[in-house]
Amino acid sequence: MGTNVDVDVGGGDWLALAVLVQYRMATTEQMHWVIAPGVRIEQTRRRLARLRDDGLVDRITLPRAGRMRVWFPSRYGVQLACEWPEMRGRRPSRTVSDPTAVRLKVGHALTVTETALAFLQDARCHGDLCRPLDWIPEVHHPTGSGEAVIPDALLYYRRGPSDGDDGSMLRAFVEVDRATMGSERLAAKLTAYARLHGYVPTVPGRRPTIQEPEPED
């Protein structure tokens, strides 16, 4: 693998790789609407092809979906992106770059990406602020006793003018229900969220006295 990678730092190549590392996977059309809705989709296709030639991303083809292409980051792409200041602290799944794992997870993962796209498009329509990297899948939130809640995504969203200070800052957990989870498991997940809401992390060296915000990855 060559080391002379022509990445447009601060531009479209940077964002495309960052989105794939953070979102895990996306179709060509999803990538287009997330990173560059104002240009022709051919430009997004060329960008992804260039990143693939550089060894930063790869793809699988789904034969039963009109030969749809699904893009995901390579190990090299993950390593490179996670060194950027905006991506520090992100811990992608160890199998995020494995084609077999991508194929097995594609149904749920693409649905989660589509949900992110719905928030992004709605923010653009209403003049709210929600950037592509404001959607963070699978953030680990401890609830004590070695247990944790891992939502499908953590969303940051500012309602109101994107260029002013009048909007309200919102943060939400997003769970994408594909009707594949039994009622007992769903009830257990809701109970875990209730524990997280009341969880007060212990601060070393002192006893907790007030409700403190949940730590984030």
Side-chain angles (χ1 to χ4, degrees), residues 8 12 35 37 46 48 59 76 79 84 97 101 117 126 130 136 145 188 190 195 200:
D8 180 16
I35 68 173
R46 288 196 295 269
L48 291 168
R59 71 187 185 208
Y76 179 44
Q79 178 183 0
W84 297 337
S97 300
L117 181 55
H126 291 89
C130 184
I136 311 174
S145 302
L190 294 175
R195 287 200 307 270
V200 179

Side-chain angles (χ1 to χ4, degrees), residues 100-111:
T100 300
V102 170
R103 192 180 303 276
L104 292 175
K105 296 178 180 180
V106 70
H108 181 264
L110 290 185
T111 303

Side-chain angles (χ1 to χ4, degrees), residues 114-145:
E114 192 69 20
T115 305
L117 181 55
F119 280 103
L120 290 170
Q121 290 179 320
D122 197 61
R124 291 163 182 164
C125 289
H126 291 89
D128 296 336
L129 182 62
C130 184
R131 301 184 181 92
L133 297 183
D134 289 335
W135 177 269
I136 311 174
E138 299 181 357
V139 179
H140 182 277
H141 288 78
T143 59
S145 302

